[in-house]
Amino acid sequence: MIPVAFSYARPDSVDGALALLAEHGEDATILAGGHSLLPVMKLRLGAPEVVIDIGRLPELRYIRVQGDEVAIGAGTRHRDLEASDVLGSDVPLLAAVARTVGDPQVRHRGTIGGSLAHADPASDLPAAVLALDATIVLRSPRGERQVPATGFYTGMFSSVKEPDELIVEIRVPRTGSAGWAYEKFTRRANDWAIVGVAVVDGRVGLVNMGASPLRASATEAALADGASIDEAAALADQGTDPQTDVSATAEYRRHLARLLTRRALTTAAG
Amino acid sequence: MTISVNTSVKVGITVNGEETTADVEPRLLLVHYLRDVLGLKATNVGCDTTSCGACTVLVDGESVKSCTVLAVQADGQSVTTMEGLSPNSTELHPMAAAFRAEHGLQCGFCTPGMVMAAVSLLEENPTPTEREVREGLEGNLCRCTGYHNIVRAVLSASGQNPDAVQTTSVDADADQSPAGGVESAPGFSTGSGA
């Protein structure tokens, strides 16, 4: 499968990439690791006229402690996340979730910024950053703004990111020793999650339970009110709108959300 | 600021230690650059959808699926294919030698990708358990289902005795499983209390 022909640019800075985005508008798209974008282009579900390659900008590839948070450059690859000592000790959920993405080859290329920008409800990392109460930093020629992960997603493959904006950084609270767990249910190796549940510090993020990743708000509220794990987990599918597809019916997904939430909360409680 | 946007790009990629250059369309995939521009046919195209791993090569020493990388993304980088792995036809790379010794192939179609993925795996984890080998090769499919000997080959290439490792790691995995040794599905369960 061959993508539709496009023009290619590899700017040597974020500012250069932003200038190109501003110039070409919605005709342009950003290429980082390419593991969401290139499959879409090969299937000709997408045909950008201009591809702006930011995949090798060192200024977007870092993991560093910044006060109560860990700041992660948007170009940081899944492999960097899973192998990071800083994340291993300060945000273990994120390192563990990154380890479940795709396979080693995919993790050598895919980036956290690309995964968040693609906004696929079946992706692992969006639900993790939701559960972590992370902040997503967007930059454009108009300036920089910080968006809470809980306010980032607007629907299937869509977010509040404007066409001239680039995700440049993800800021993740250091959860340290707080209990955490990730439950990813698949039927075959190397598959997308049929349902996934990320838990950290009493917050719950759900994979594939609607058009966008979301939090299990009813479960979180019940936990905050002192409910037991069983009681709280039974509410995990409230407010969700899962799809029926070849992998599972909506009803089965609801069952999985409740079951996996119970398992994740139990694991996180130690 | 002027940044050029190009419909044809000149790439310079070091492949198996040799400098290669060509003018290519940006949409040219790395696997097609290797096979059709350079004539290096060991790297196979299997599924063409980032699933099967037959097209796995090393870019700067790390495994990637070359059907999902543009040639231009590898510009200025170093690519290793199966052809470049062994120094010559009589002296096989230890991984290739282990695949031969353990009979880690049947039809052979997945083999180049499987070997390259295994080389990258040992680079990151020099003495893996059997479980870690199986999970580390998750991105490579063998439709002959010859996984058993492939895993033995990788364990052997890591300097371990496959018979010893396989016996001990099965018991260890059973102890670690929350379901009492029954792994109900290839999903992931991980957490602070696990």
Side-chain angles (χ1 to χ4, degrees), chain B residues 69-157:
Chain B
V69 178
L70 300 170
V72 69
Q73 286 180 285
D75 180 36
Q77 295 188 297
S78 179
V79 174
T80 308
T81 71
M82 188 78 193
E83 287 97 336
L85 197 59
S86 300
N88 56 57
S89 58
T90 54
E91 191 184 342
L92 288 180
H93 182 279
M95 188 62 72
F99 267 67
R100 185 172 69 177
E102 296 293 339
H103 197 67
L105 66 157
Q106 292 180 40
C107 85
F109 187 83
C110 75
T111 309
M114 199 68 84
V115 169
M116 301 314 286
V119 168
S120 181
L121 166 62
L122 290 195
E123 187 66 34
E124 290 172 1
N125 183 0
T127 49
T129 63
E130 179 187 2
R131 178 82 174 250
E132 287 168 344
V133 172
R134 289 185 181 275
E135 290 178 352
L137 296 178
E138 179 181 16
N140 293 75
L141 303 182
C142 168
R143 289 298 73 182
C144 307
T145 69
Y147 297 106
H148 184 78
N149 284 355
I150 290 169
V151 172
R152 288 179 62 87
V154 179
L155 290 170
S156 172

Side-chain angles (χ1 to χ4, degrees), chain A residues 206-269:
Chain A
L206 302 175
V207 179
N208 232 350
M209 285 300 290
S212 55
L214 70 166
R215 289 264 288 268
S217 306
T219 295
E220 293 178 2
L223 286 172
D225 286 346
S228 70
I229 286 177
D230 283 357
E231 292 164 347
L235 307 174
D237 64 317
Q238 279 195 10
T240 66
D241 185 20
Q243 298 242 319
T244 291
D245 60 21
V246 292
S247 297
T249 62
E251 188 48 42
Y252 184 50
R253 283 200 160 89
R254 289 179 179 277
H255 163 77
L256 284 175
R258 297 189 296 264
L259 176 77
L260 298 176
T261 297
R262 177 162 57 79
R263 286 184 185 167
L265 288 172
T266 303
T267 300

Side-chain angles (χ1 to χ4, degrees), chain B residues 1-19:
Chain B
M1 182 186 322
T2 304
I3 297 160
S4 60
V5 175
N6 299 297
T7 53
S8 173
V9 286
K10 188 175 190 65
V11 295
I13 306 173
T14 303
V15 179
N16 299 333
E18 293 186 18
E19 298 294 326

